[in-house]
């Protein structure tokens, strides 16, 4: 029968044998590092070429004369460009149209509210005038009639 120490020794020997790293792991690691370094070199090279190309392009452009600059930055020129931009700007046109529609809606609602208020106040005033003037006069005249005449009047009115 095998003892515990024999089993431990066998385990240690098996563990020592399986700890070797395959060649493909090293190959993949070095390949990945080579790709990253190559990418960094190419990016830095492209950035240097891009900055020199931009500086050459900017030097090759024609510089405007002082008269052209004065005309470009004159008050009238700037004002004209701003006015043209405002007139042709589609968002400006849409905003103006929307504001016009909204103002028409608001004015329409205000007119309706004013008409409603006028009608209601006219009815209230008419009711108040009738109640405190004509109503009082008619009531006083009916109360002033003799009882027999009052009953006849009420019968005629209630038919």
């Amino acid at each position: 029968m095998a003892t515990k120490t024999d089993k431990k020794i066998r385990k240690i020997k098996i563990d020592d044998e399986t700890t070797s790293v395959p060649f493909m792991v090293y190959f993949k690691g070095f390949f990945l590092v080579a790709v990253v370094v190559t990418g960094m070199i190419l990016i830095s090279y492209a950035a240097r070429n891009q900055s020199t190309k931009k500086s050459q392009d900017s030097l090759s452009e024609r510089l405007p004369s002082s008269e052209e600059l004065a005309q470009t930055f004159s008050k009238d020129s700037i004002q004209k460009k701003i006015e043209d931009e405002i007139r042709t700007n589609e968002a400006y046109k849409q905003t103006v149209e929307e504001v016009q529609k909204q103002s028409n809606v608001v004015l329409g609602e205000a007119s309706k509210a004013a008409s409603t208020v006028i009608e209601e106040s006219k009815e209230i005033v008419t009711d108040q005038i009738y109640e405190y003037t004509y109503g009082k006069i008619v009531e006083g005249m009916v109360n002033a009639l003799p009882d027999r005449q009052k009953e006849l009047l009420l019968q005629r009115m209630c038919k």
Side-chain angles (χ1 to χ4, degrees), residues 1-129:
M1 196 178 237
T3 62
K4 289 184 181 180
T5 54
D6 290 337
K7 288 182 183 179
K8 286 182 184 178
I9 293 172
R10 282 187 207 161
K11 258 188 184 177
I12 293 173
K13 287 181 182 179
I14 292 173
D15 288 341
D16 288 342
E17 291 173 4
T18 58
T19 57
S20 64
V21 179
F23 172 74
M24 283 305 287
V25 172
Y26 291 116
F27 179 74
K28 288 178 183 178
F30 287 123
F31 181 73
L32 182 61
V33 170
V35 167
V36 170
V37 169
T38 305
M40 290 173 52
I41 291 170
L42 290 176
I43 287 175
S44 66
Y45 177 74
R48 269 189 264 131
N49 283 345
Q50 187 71 16
S51 64
T52 57
K53 190 181 289 186
K54 283 184 182 178
S55 63
Q56 288 174 356
D57 289 344
S58 65
L59 289 176
S60 65
E61 292 179 4
R62 187 181 74 83
L63 295 175
S65 67
S66 60
E67 292 174 2
E68 290 174 340
L69 285 174
Q71 286 179 345
T72 303
F73 292 107
S74 69
K75 179 182 175 184
D76 295 334
S77 174
I78 292 172
Q79 188 175 4
K80 182 181 176 187
K81 286 182 181 181
I82 290 172
E83 288 173 355
D84 289 344
E85 183 65 30
I86 288 174
R87 285 190 192 111
T88 58
N89 192 344
E90 189 64 30
Y92 173 76
K93 290 178 184 177
Q94 290 174 351
T95 303
V96 168
E97 290 173 3
E98 189 66 29
V99 168
Q100 185 66 34
K101 288 177 187 175
Q102 292 297 329
S103 65
N104 290 341
V105 169
V106 170
L107 288 175
E109 292 296 322
S111 299
K112 288 178 188 175
S115 300
T116 305
V117 168
I118 289 171
E119 289 298 319
E120 288 178 3
S121 57
K122 185 168 60 170
E123 291 174 7
I124 291 171
V125 168
T126 305
D127 290 343
Q128 291 290 331
I129 290 173

